[in-house]
Amino acid sequence: MSITDRGVVEYIGAHADDFLADLRAWLAIPSISGDPAAAADVARSAWWLGGALRDAGFPTVEVWETPGLPAVFAEWPSADPDAPTVLVYGHHDVQPAALADGWSTPPFEPTDIGDRLYARGAADDKGQVLFHLLGVRAHLAATGRTTPAVNLKLIVEGEEESGSPHLAALLRERRDRLACDVVVVSDTGMWAADTPSTCTGMRGLAEVQIDFHGPSADIHSGSFGGAVPNPATALARLIAALHDEGGHVAIPGFHSGVGELTEYERESFAKLPFDESVWLGNAKSGAAAGEAGYTTLERVWARPTAEVNGIWGGYIGPGRKTIVPTSAHAKVSFRLVDRQDPEEIERVVRAWVSERVPAGIRCELDFGTGVRPCLTPLDHPALQAVVRAMGRAFDTEILYTREGGSGPEADLQDVLRAPVVFLGVSLPDDGWHSIDEKVEKPLLLKGAEAAAYLWEELAASRRGAAPGKDDR
Amino acid sequence: MSITDRGVVEYIGAHADDFLADLRAWLAIPSISGDPAAAADVARSAWWLGGALRDAGFPTVEVWETPGLPAVFAEWPSADPDAPTVLVYGHHDVQPAALADGWSTPPFEPTDIGDRLYARGAADDKGQVLFHLLGVRAHLAATGRTTPAVNLKLIVEGEEESGSPHLAALLRERRDRLACDVVVVSDTGMWAADTPSTCTGMRGLAEVQIDFHGPSADIHSGSFGGAVPNPATALARLIAALHDEGGHVAIPGFHSGVGELTEYERESFAKLPFDESVWLGNAKSGAAAGEAGYTTLERVWARPTAEVNGIWGGYIGPGRKTIVPTSAHAKVSFRLVDRQDPEEIERVVRAWVSERVPAGIRCELDFGTGVRPCLTPLDHPALQAVVRAMGRAFDTEILYTREGGSGPEADLQDVLRAPVVFLGVSLPDDGWHSIDEKVEKPLLLKGAEAAAYLWEELAASRRGAAPGKDDR
């Protein structure tokens, strides 16, 4: 253990109780962004965090109003002229929670049981935001610095649990204040307590509603059935054609920008202790299925998909009604990877569908706003700095994961034109969006420790092969 | 014109006004079987018809109660020992109707405008039941007989517009009383006023609800999508596989019992003046489509189908929800022809589906009670008797049609084990189940005339190549 590491560990050990007391105070504020009645609590949460950032020593702290709920911005410039600029992203709003949902303890009365702290937001995301305050203090104490080794910025939004409706606009408006060389997202987790890992990317998203219009009203399937196109049958044929027999998405041009996994990446995923029966239990599914030639983890992390999220048309009540329905509809979403572009996906899907609409069917396509995939190459210096920092904290090999979902991380990457890396210490069983959310206190302290090392590591990688803007 | 024909025409001409006055009285009774509040009116309608049958001379008239609404039975035996037995089928209940629906005249205040009589039930089916009372009187008057040339029976049910829920049981219970050599259905129509025709068959029906169960609850399409089976996608693939590229139903064994149309039948259909654009207007559809190698009329009359009547699963509200749905469902109905058997269809569909359910999907199939197809060969003596009787009334060639739908006629055929022929004079624009239902009074009188000839023709064909039981 280096001198710095010992200093960090000692600082964190000495201040852990204060840190946890602060966290409990913050967790007691029910900052539920999805509940309009809780808007004042979300604001209170923002101001609480602002005060805590001030107390931690950040010279600049601002609460940023949005058309929705407020975000908190903080900045602590480095005295080093060549210091890279880092933006930490997190959120201070939480999912709804009530004792009546089945919680074992009141969700906004933080409760310690052994090493665990139970409360809504303990892991998602207040605990993982707050460890940065402890981390930067430990970083300074252990290195004897008065300013961080990086120009440290934080943006902590208040609407993540509501889909971050104003984040992209806020990022664009405040682009100059938020400018950075790398974004550190602390809103994810690790593979397991004994398998620390870092996320290297998230899938993007394109969504479309497909409306097939046939007869101008429901018509009698006896009088007309078999002699006019049935929009439900036509839509089923379209959906069936989304994939080929190997489960690959069959839309020409769809895979533009999709890179194949390297052997190193596949081996890295394969190192993760994976129990498919446990995974299937979480998926509430009886069998794994998907694209031929890929493992389950590769399918959800590194492969694009086409999923029917909903389908409807015709008579869906009890009993029978022998009609050819007037219309049929499907909501289809595509998960995207690598450099797939939601706008390009819209273009190729429109072209593909337009060639497949049978005579007598009128088709409408309504695309939502897409989300770009987010991926940092494994050899990126900023990602390697995260791996080194976590390795120092956990004293073991740090493995790589990805997220199958899609999040505001893509906006950070795209608007700020900076690579995104992930420092999160939550566990899969921490109860995000569920009852009995908790965080493992020793892991939160490991998160603070890794954060303390990360500013050193990023500054060092800047001096070596520094992460620059636009280098992904 | 033969002496008989002149006698029939003269009798009908002399009694037309009385006949129409009677019809108006019956039409004023709102015998809506679908409206529980109208049950007393349906009963009143049954008793009105019973009285009219008595007045017409039927020696036996009975109102038959059912667990639902009453049917009327009447019988007039022939004095001829070798006379065939004929059962006329019709119904005395009507569809709902209200001035507020958009009728031009009050639906239960029969209104004469030119040759037309407007009222709910004028064509469907009171007018076409009542012409038999005038017809049998004309038959007796013109031939000088005191009993009909056939043993004449009528069964006029009161629940046809509600799906005939108690007809099959009634037929089975009263099988001895209803025993006959041929059933004459007067509840259909003709191709056009200047193109008289008779229906030779109706399609049957098999119905199934398909339930595909995937994950035990909706799951996140980001976390799991692409690696577990999606029940909506799987169901779409099943539906897409219902037909081959030529639009033929692709289920092995499905076509067992389907006969190919003869050249004579195809030529006979082709003689009908058919305007596809008019047909498409009625079908509210923009294009004809279906099984390769068949015309539109052949597709709806003589070919079996597989139609999706309804489909649903997953998120179908506004906006987006990125899930893999827990389940997907479809209601599919099959129209059947010739000797296809609904029970056999259930067997082959179950076998076909069971081979196509992917791992991880649990499938449930719920079949309804099927309806067998009903078809009388063109060379059947009873059908030829109808053609001759109508030919005498209309003085032109009688063409052949079919019905694409499925009706209680199959129960008549199956329970009574007798061939079914159709004597109907309604027109496609008579407004069945719609507003401004009407009947063309001159055509109703032609119906009475054809009925008058039909008893002679059936008796003659019995003496020649007589229609016997079970000969189809």
Side-chain angles (χ1 to χ4, degrees):
Chain A
M1 190 180 277
S2 72
I3 293 174
T4 305
D5 292 8
R6 184 165 300 127
V8 165
V9 169
E10 286 175 1
Y11 185 91
I12 290 173
H15 294 82
D17 287 349
D18 291 346
F19 162 76
L20 291 167
D22 284 349
L23 178 56
R24 287 186 203 101
W26 195 18
L27 291 169
I29 303 174
S31 51
I32 302 167
S33 60
D35 178 4
D41 289 316
V42 179
R44 193 151 58 93
S45 163
W47 285 95
W48 185 96
L49 175 61
L53 287 161
R54 275 284 190 185
D55 292 346
F58 280 80
T60 300
V61 180
E62 299 173 14
V63 171
W64 286 353
E65 297 298 333
T66 73
L69 297 163
V72 178
F73 173 76
E75 185 171 11
W76 196 334
S78 175
D80 302 351
D82 293 334
T85 301
V86 177
L87 177 69
V88 171
Y89 166 85
H91 61 91
H92 67 91
D93 63 319
V94 299
Q95 281 277 314
L99 197 56
D101 297 339
W103 282 68
S104 306
T105 60
F108 297 104
E109 295 177 19
T111 305
D112 293 78
I113 300 178
D115 276 344
R116 297 174 166 182
L117 173 58
Y118 285 87
R120 171 58 87 218
D124 177 22
D125 184 32
K126 286 173 176 169
Q128 304 204 88
V129 168
L130 204 63
F131 76 53
H132 280 286
L133 279 64
L134 179 60
V136 70
R137 296 292 331 166
H139 162 64
L140 297 177
T143 56
R145 305 179 59 99
T146 54
T147 62
V150 298
N151 297 305
L152 186 58
K153 301 178 179 180
L154 274 85
I155 179 76
V156 182
E157 70 158 319
E159 298 186 309
E160 198 272 346
E161 300 296 0
S162 299
S164 303
H166 303 104
L167 179 66
L170 186 70
L171 296 178
R172 279 191 291 269
E173 275 171 34
R174 307 280 189 156
R175 194 193 313 249
D176 293 344
R177 301 291 303 280
L178 297 167
C180 60
D181 297 298
V182 59
V183 176
V184 175
V185 169
S186 285
D187 187 27
T188 55
M190 309 195 303
W191 184 260
D194 59 359
T195 312
S197 61
T198 185
C199 176
T200 68
M202 305 183 80
R203 292 196 289 192
L205 185 65
E207 294 175 297
V208 61
Q209 180 168 319
I210 305 169
D211 299 306
F212 267 25
H213 299 279
S216 60
D218 292 344
I219 57 173
H220 194 287
S221 75
S223 303
F224 304 107
V228 295
N230 180 320
T233 306
L235 184 60
R237 290 174 185 163
L238 185 80
I239 290 167
L242 280 170
H243 301 85
D244 68 16
E245 294 201 348
H248 310 283
V249 176
I251 300 168
F254 178 81
H255 289 88
S256 171
V258 177
E260 280 298 321
L261 285 165
T262 63
E263 269 313 298
Y264 180 70
E265 285 169 312
R266 302 188 86 157
E267 284 166 13
S268 146
F269 289 169
K271 278 186 190 172
L272 295 162
F274 178 73
D275 182 331
E276 190 156 272
S277 66
V278 171
W279 187 89
L280 283 173
N282 292 332
K284 304 177 197 298
S285 293
E291 208 172 355
Y294 297 92
T295 67
T296 291
L297 286 183
E298 289 166 0
R299 286 167 176 167
V300 293
W301 287 349
R303 297 301 301 172
T305 66
E307 290 287 349
V308 178
N309 309 125
I311 187 167
W312 71 103
Y315 182 69
I316 64 176
R320 321 278 174 179
K321 194 171 179 189
T322 47
I323 55 169
V324 176
T326 179
S327 63
H329 315 267
K331 292 177 193 279
V332 175
S333 62
F334 303 91
R335 296 284 168 175
L336 311 179
V337 300
D338 293 342
R339 290 169 186 276
Q340 278 180 301
D341 174 0
E343 291 182 16
E344 173 68 6
I345 296 299
E346 174 171 345
R347 201 186 63 73
V348 301
V349 170
R350 281 191 185 281
W352 179 76
V353 172
S354 70
E355 284 181 8
R356 293 179 160 265
V357 179
I361 300 288
R362 182 170 57 81
C363 173
E364 289 178 314
L365 298 178
D366 178 20
F367 283 82
T369 307
V371 178
R372 292 162 62 92
C374 170
L375 184 67
T376 301
L378 296 196
D379 58 359
H380 192 287
L383 177 54
Q384 287 307 314
V386 171
V387 168
R388 286 194 304 274
M390 289 185 73
R392 285 166 66 182
F394 288 95
D395 197 23
T396 185
E397 182 181 8
I398 306 303
L399 299 181
Y400 299 104
T401 66
R402 294 193 196 177
E403 293 275 332
S406 314
E409 290 76 5
D411 287 331
L412 297 163
Q413 164 195 272
D414 289 350
V415 176
L416 304 179
R417 302 177 70 78
V420 172
V421 294
F422 295 81
L423 175 62
V425 293
S426 176
L427 296 182
D429 68 351
D430 274 354
W432 292 38
H433 298 207
S434 184
I435 60 169
D436 291 342
E437 181 176 346
K438 56 90 178 168
V439 73
E440 305 283 337
K441 290 179 281 186
L443 291 182
L444 269 194
L445 299 178
K446 286 287 181 194
E449 190 181 341
Y453 304 137
L454 183 56
W455 314 140
E456 276 186 86
E457 295 290 351
L458 283 169
S461 74
R462 170 71 154 211
R463 287 189 299 271
K469 292 187 184 181
D470 294 333
D471 62 351
R472 66 175 297 280
Chain B
M1 193 179 277
S2 71
I3 292 173
T4 305
D5 292 5
R6 184 165 298 124
V8 165
V9 169
E10 285 175 2
Y11 184 91
I12 288 173
H15 295 83
D17 287 349
D18 291 345
F19 162 75
L20 292 167
D22 284 347
L23 178 57
R24 287 185 204 99
W26 196 18
L27 290 170
I29 303 173
S31 51
I32 303 168
S33 60
D35 178 3
D41 289 316
V42 179
R44 193 151 58 95
S45 163
W47 285 95
W48 184 96
L49 175 60
L53 287 161
R54 275 282 192 186
D55 292 346
F58 280 81
T60 300
V61 180
E62 300 172 14
V63 171
W64 285 353
E65 297 298 335
T66 73
L69 298 163
V72 179
F73 173 77
E75 185 172 12
W76 197 334
S78 175
D80 302 351
D82 295 333
T85 301
V86 176
L87 176 68
V88 170
Y89 166 86
H91 61 91
H92 66 92
D93 62 319
V94 300
Q95 281 277 314
L99 197 55
D101 297 338
W103 281 66
S104 306
T105 60
F108 297 106
E109 296 178 18
T111 306
D112 294 78
I113 300 176
D115 276 345
R116 297 174 165 182
L117 173 58
Y118 286 88
R120 171 58 86 218
D124 176 23
D125 182 34
K126 286 173 175 169
Q128 304 204 89
V129 168
L130 205 63
F131 76 53
H132 280 287
L133 281 63
L134 179 59
V136 70
R137 298 288 336 162
H139 163 64
L140 298 177
T143 56
R145 306 178 58 101
T146 53
T147 62
V150 299
N151 297 306
L152 186 58
K153 302 178 179 179
L154 273 85
I155 180 74
V156 183
E157 69 159 318
E159 298 186 310
E160 198 273 345
E161 301 296 2
S162 298
S164 303
H166 304 104
L167 180 65
L170 186 70
L171 297 177
R172 278 190 292 268
E173 275 170 33
R174 307 281 190 157
R175 196 193 311 250
D176 293 344
R177 303 289 305 280
L178 296 167
C180 60
D181 299 298
V182 60
V183 175
V184 175
V185 169
S186 285
D187 187 26
T188 56
M190 309 194 304
W191 184 258
D194 59 0
T195 312
S197 61
T198 184
C199 175
T200 68
M202 304 183 80
R203 293 196 286 192
L205 185 64
E207 294 175 296
V208 62
Q209 180 168 319
I210 304 168
D211 300 305
F212 267 23
H213 298 279
S216 60
D218 292 344
I219 57 173
H220 193 286
S221 75
S223 304
F224 304 107
V228 294
N230 181 320
T233 306
L235 184 61
R237 290 174 185 163
L238 185 81
I239 290 168
L242 280 171
H243 301 85
D244 68 15
E245 293 201 348
H248 310 284
V249 176
I251 300 168
F254 178 81
H255 289 88
S256 170
V258 177
E260 279 299 320
L261 286 165
T262 63
E263 268 315 297
Y264 179 71
E265 285 169 312
R266 302 189 84 159
E267 284 166 12
S268 146
F269 288 169
K271 277 185 188 172
L272 295 162
F274 178 73
D275 183 330
E276 190 155 272
S277 65
V278 170
W279 186 89
L280 282 173
N282 292 332
K284 305 179 196 299
S285 292
E291 208 173 355
Y294 298 92
T295 67
T296 290
L297 286 183
E298 289 166 359
R299 285 168 175 166
V300 293
W301 287 350
R303 296 300 300 171
T305 67
E307 291 286 349
V308 178
N309 308 126
I311 187 167
W312 71 102
Y315 182 68
I316 65 176
R320 322 278 173 178
K321 194 172 177 188
T322 47
I323 55 168
V324 175
T326 180
S327 62
H329 315 266
K331 292 176 193 280
V332 175
S333 63
F334 302 92
R335 296 285 169 176
L336 311 179
V337 299
D338 294 343
R339 290 170 187 273
Q340 277 181 300
D341 173 359
E343 290 181 16
E344 173 68 5
I345 295 300
E346 175 173 344
R347 200 186 62 75
V348 300
V349 170
R350 281 190 185 280
W352 179 77
V353 172
S354 70
E355 283 180 9
R356 293 179 160 267
V357 179
I361 300 288
R362 183 171 56 82
C363 172
E364 289 178 314
L365 299 178
D366 178 20
F367 283 83
T369 307
V371 179
R372 291 162 62 93
C374 169
L375 184 67
T376 302
L378 297 196
D379 59 359
H380 193 286
L383 177 55
Q384 288 307 313
V386 170
V387 168
R388 287 194 304 274
M390 290 186 73
R392 285 165 66 180
F394 287 96
D395 199 23
T396 185
E397 182 181 8
I398 306 304
L399 300 181
Y400 299 104
T401 66
R402 295 194 196 177
E403 293 275 332
S406 313
E409 291 76 7
D411 287 330
L412 297 163
Q413 163 196 272
D414 289 350
V415 177
L416 304 179
R417 301 178 68 79
V420 172
V421 294
F422 295 81
L423 176 60
V425 294
S426 176
L427 295 181
D429 69 352
D430 274 354
W432 291 39
H433 299 205
S434 183
I435 60 169
D436 289 344
E437 181 176 345
K438 55 89 177 167
V439 74
E440 304 283 337
K441 290 179 281 187
L443 291 182
L444 269 194
L445 300 177
K446 286 287 181 194
E449 190 180 342
Y453 304 138
L454 183 56
W455 315 141
E456 277 187 87
E457 294 290 350
L458 282 170
S461 73
R462 170 72 156 208
R463 286 189 299 273
K469 291 189 185 180
D470 293 335
D471 62 351
R472 65 175 297 281

